[in-house]
Amino acid sequence: MTSYHHGNLREALVQAAVGLGREKGPDGIVIREVARRTGVSHNAAYRHFADRDDLLREVAKVGHDELAGTMRSRVKRVRVTDPVERARRRLREVGKAYVEYALAEPGLFAVAFSHVSLGDLSGPYELLGAALDDCVEAGYLPSSKREGAELSCWAGVHGFAMLYSTGPMSDAPRKQRDADLERLLDRIDDGLSG
């Protein structure tokens, strides 16, 4: 239990909830337990959050921020100078980052996508959109295929992440998972090309 002493109680409550989310997913985030871990009464917690959904949205934002950070980190590693190849690899790294985060943080990933609307996904969704826009600008993705491309890409990697994190493929060896991810990203790439 992390005792709250002085400072920002709201932030301390969110961090305790993030810890529960990492451990147990969305069902594990209960205001009474968050308050207990923070060392305050549950009534004190309710002064900062209207209800459990309000707290879950705050934890989801943390997950989105972490996912966006993972995406940015992988995209920055692309050092190819050819504009088409650079755009394609950056898009691929966005997809890999999505799966990487889902596998590394299954509990928080589940929270991040359990209490959100598309508007809440500004960071990760904007990074995907920017990668697709780069593919158009580089001449790889025809502008006629650009509209709605986020949905196809997102659905592919999200489905993959679910299958391999908590679904029927969760026991697959890493080598197989990595090869399967490469094949999925190849199919997405093929579907986007002119």
Side-chain angles (χ1 to χ4, degrees):
M1 176 169 105
T2 302
S3 234
Y4 167 74
H5 296 290
H6 296 288
N8 188 340
L9 177 55
R10 181 179 174 84
E11 181 59 25
L13 292 165
V14 169
Q15 289 310 309
V18 167
L20 281 168
R22 285 188 204 286
E23 293 169 27
K24 302 177 181 184
D27 293 340
I29 299 174
V30 179
I31 289 184
R32 190 172 292 274
E33 178 60 15
V34 168
R36 187 191 70 73
R37 286 187 176 202
T38 310
V40 299
S41 72
H42 68 277
N43 288 334
Y46 275 110
R47 286 187 215 119
H48 293 277
F49 302 99
D51 55 23
R52 180 176 176 267
D53 284 343
D54 189 25
L55 178 58
L56 282 167
R57 278 189 292 277
E58 291 300 312
V59 175
K61 287 179 190 174
V62 172
H64 301 153
D65 289 347
E66 288 184 4
L67 173 58
T70 302
M71 289 175 164
R72 281 188 205 94
S73 176
R74 288 194 73 108
V75 166
K76 283 181 184 176
R77 288 188 250 171
V78 175
R79 300 282 185 227
V80 179
T81 57
D82 176 70
V84 171
E85 192 58 27
R86 183 176 57 242
R88 289 174 68 199
R89 287 198 188 173
R90 285 180 176 171
L91 178 61
R92 194 173 197 95
E93 292 304 316
V94 166
K96 287 181 178 180
Y98 191 92
V99 172
E100 175 186 327
Y101 186 77
L103 295 174
E105 292 287 356
L108 198 51
F109 180 82
V111 175
F113 292 96
S114 66
H115 283 76
V116 296
S117 66
L118 192 54
D120 296 329
L121 291 170
S122 59
Y125 199 73
E126 286 173 6
L127 290 166
L128 172 58
L132 288 164
D133 290 344
D134 287 348
C135 286
V136 171
E137 188 176 315
Y140 181 71
L141 173 61
S143 57
S144 61
K145 287 186 169 186
R146 174 62 184 89
E147 185 177 349
E150 287 94 346
L151 182 59
S152 300
C153 295
W154 199 287
V157 294
H158 186 80
F160 185 94
M162 297 307 293
L163 286 169
Y164 281 86
S165 64
T166 57
M169 301 298 290
S170 62
D171 292 335
R174 181 184 178 127
K175 187 175 180 178
Q176 176 190 341
R177 182 190 73 218
D178 292 348
D180 290 346
L181 178 57
E182 291 297 331
R183 280 190 288 278
L184 170 69
L185 295 172
D186 287 344
R187 299 305 176 273
I188 291 170
D189 187 63
D190 291 345
L192 294 174
S193 68

